Amino acid sequence: MIYMHYCKKCDFLHMLSGHRTHCPGCSNELAELKITYLDYYGMKPEERESLAQRCRQPELLKEMTFHYKKHKFSKWYKEGGVRG
């Protein structure tokens, strides 16, 4: 499945497969949005801009973000992705 992710540092919406945690451009932490690429693709240009504007507001970004629970047997966990 393709998910939309937002990088605050790059101020960029990324289309990435899976539950990615870091930006491919700057390695900063990503916010996985509750919107699929297909939904994003179907948006009008003004709706996409509105989404980008909402991502730039921390309180709205928090509401739009999906928090993926990393399982301790996942590849991410085994590769040291746990942060304390």
Side-chain angles (χ1 to χ4, degrees), residues 22-76:
H22 292 89
C23 177
C26 71
S27 299
N28 196 44
E29 194 169 327
L30 286 172
E32 182 177 328
L33 304 180
K34 295 177 183 177
I35 182 171
T36 66
Y37 174 68
L38 288 177
D39 291 335
Y40 181 79
Y41 180 80
M43 291 178 158
K44 296 176 182 173
E46 56 271 10
E47 292 173 317
R48 291 181 182 187
E49 182 55 35
S50 175
L51 176 66
Q53 291 292 332
R54 287 180 294 169
C55 286
R56 292 179 187 114
Q57 299 176 36
E59 63 280 353
L60 295 179
L61 179 62
K62 192 178 258 188
E63 293 174 6
M64 299 184 323
T65 303
F66 175 77
H67 296 285
Y68 177 67
K69 184 178 179 182
K70 282 94 177 164
H71 193 272
K72 71 178 185 176
F73 298 110
S74 70
K75 181 180 174 183
W76 177 88

